[in-house]
């Protein structure tokens, strides 16, 4: 499969995959084109090869001050116009579960990262603090928008969506295993914040025979488990009622892999 081609202002061709395979080159070229892209007309800005009604879809070159890095971002509200196989494609929020949230529950930043207002506090103890830094948003969207906070289930839906798992892609054929899905979800968690924390810092994927996830679980339990609630995420293998009327849940892979890793040093 060929990679995603990006055309930089001036016509230079650029590989989206360099972001991972050649990050120095990626950074250097975006930095070099940053000013030119900002001042260029819409049709001369950086772009992918997607088109909408015969016109190119521009991308933004953004500078992220906290990490002193450059990156490419989809134009606001144009994610649904990209081809579904394009890395800048995003499903239409009005056609996904997001439509039930009032404005402000999901706040999308210029760089494509999102901050969410959760219904639960991340901290387990310590001085009481507001569940979120932002005031509770008003219901200012028409129709079904009623939810003012996102539940853990809503966060799971958002992670699933941002991991690109709500859409089928040709490269998933025979490769979309629980481990692959959870790896994508863990990565999506690096771009979602709540209460000043990255969700990925508190997110523990559980998959069969995956030692890295096992080590991650133990590291996160050690560093965060006392102070914060953690999010365990995996595929349910069994759900059994216990005598007290609660349920005991087992995630696929948690029995062997995670317990044995736990007994190693
Ligand atoms: Zn595109």
């Amino acid at each position: 499969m060929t990679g995603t081609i990006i055309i930089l202002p001036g016509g230079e061709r650029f590989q989206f995959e360099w972001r991972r395979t050649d990050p120095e080159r990626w950074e250097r070229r975006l930095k070099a084109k940053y000013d030119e892209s900002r001042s260029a007309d819409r049709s001369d800005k950086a772009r992918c090869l997607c088109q909408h009604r015969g016109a190119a879809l521009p991308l933004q070159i953004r500078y992220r001050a906290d990490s002193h890095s450059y990156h490419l971002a989809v134009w606001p509200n144009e994610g649904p116009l990209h081809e579904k196989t394009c890395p800048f494609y995003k499903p239409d929020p009005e056609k996904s579960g997001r439509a039930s949230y009032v404005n402000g529950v999901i706040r999308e930043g210029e760089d494509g990262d999102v901050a969410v207002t959760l219904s639960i506090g991340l901290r387990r103890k310590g001085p009481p603090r507001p569940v979120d830094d932002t005031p509770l948003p008003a219901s200012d969207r028409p129709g079904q928008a009623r939810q003012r906070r996102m539940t853990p289930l809503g966060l799971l839906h958002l992670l699933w969506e941002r991991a690109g798992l709500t859409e089928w892609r040709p490269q998933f054929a025979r490769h979309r295993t629980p481990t692959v899905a959870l790896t994508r979800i863990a990565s999506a968690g690096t771009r979602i914040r709540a209460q000043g924390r990255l969700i990925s810092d508190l997110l523990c994927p559980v998959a069969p025979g995956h030692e890295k996830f096992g080590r991650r679980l133990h590291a996160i339990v050690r560093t965060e488990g006392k102070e914060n609630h953690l999010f365990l995420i995996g595929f349910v293998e069994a759900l059994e009622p216990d005598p007290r009327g609660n349920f005991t849940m087992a995630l696929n892979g948690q029995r062997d892999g995670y317990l044995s890793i736990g007994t190693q040093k």
Side-chain angles (χ1 to χ4, degrees):
M1 199 189 83
T2 56
T4 301
I5 302 287
I6 306 292
I7 304 197
L8 293 175
E12 177 183 334
R13 290 196 156 218
F14 180 83
Q15 294 270 354
F16 181 75
E17 280 63 28
W18 290 348
R19 187 173 64 135
R20 280 211 326 270
T21 60
D22 194 351
E24 275 180 35
R25 189 176 185 184
W26 163 267
E27 184 80 17
R28 200 168 59 239
R29 295 320 301 147
L30 287 185
K31 184 177 180 182
K33 292 292 179 178
Y34 177 71
D35 288 332
E36 196 178 338
S37 185
R38 274 167 73 95
S39 56
D41 289 339
R42 190 178 151 89
S43 59
D44 293 328
K45 289 186 187 292
R47 60 189 160 91
C48 54
L49 298 184
C50 299
Q51 293 211 330
H52 178 63
R53 294 183 180 154
L57 291 169
L59 300 169
Q60 297 173 308
I61 300 178
R62 290 268 167 203
Y63 175 65
R64 198 179 285 173
D66 55 1
S67 55
H68 303 291
S69 60
Y70 292 83
H71 62 104
L72 270 177
V74 65
W75 207 265
N77 305 318
E78 292 192 357
L81 306 182
H82 287 257
E83 298 286 336
K84 284 185 178 159
T85 51
C86 174
F88 297 98
Y89 169 77
K90 284 184 198 167
D92 185 345
E94 296 304 324
K95 291 180 185 155
S96 72
R98 287 184 181 212
S100 62
Y101 295 110
V102 300
N103 279 343
V105 175
I106 304 176
R107 303 177 293 283
E108 203 144 330
E110 287 183 338
D111 53 5
D113 289 6
V114 293
V116 298
T117 303
L118 287 180
S119 63
I120 54 164
L122 294 179
R123 289 182 68 80
R124 296 178 60 182
K125 51 188 181 183
R129 50 173 280 174
V131 170
D132 208 284
D133 313 307
T134 52
L136 214 55
S139 181
D140 49 4
R141 284 171 52 166
Q144 300 300 310
R146 302 235 187 292
Q147 276 187 264
R148 292 166 185 234
R149 284 184 171 146
M150 180 179 281
T151 62
L153 177 61
L155 178 62
L156 178 64
H157 290 160
L158 182 68
L159 282 164
W160 196 261
E161 178 196 306
R162 305 259 318 172
L165 296 167
T166 51
E167 302 285 342
W168 181 256
R169 295 168 195 234
Q171 62 264 40
F172 285 159
R174 293 192 302 278
H175 297 292
R176 204 169 112 162
T177 61
T179 302
V180 168
L182 289 166
T183 301
R184 293 180 75 105
I185 284 174
S187 167
T190 64
R191 306 196 64 189
I192 302 176
R193 287 178 181 278
Q195 294 158 40
R197 296 297 309 266
L198 274 180
I199 290 299
S200 53
D201 291 347
L202 305 172
L203 185 70
C204 308
V206 176
H210 197 291
E211 289 200 5
K212 215 169 136 193
F213 283 166
R215 286 196 297 272
R216 174 182 172 135
L217 171 73
H218 291 287
I220 292 181
V221 166
R222 208 165 44 239
T223 55
E224 303 281 355
K226 274 203 181 115
E227 298 283 326
N228 295 298
H229 292 289
L230 307 180
F231 297 103
L232 254 71
I233 186 163
F235 289 78
V236 175
E237 186 179 80
L239 194 63
E240 289 165 12
D242 72 15
R244 290 189 301 171
N246 297 325
F247 285 88
T248 303
M249 185 170 74
L251 296 179
N252 191 356
Q254 88 177 38
R255 286 172 210 279
D256 33 284
Y258 290 81
L259 295 179
S260 64
I261 288 164
T263 57
Q264 293 164 8
K265 166 163 105 139

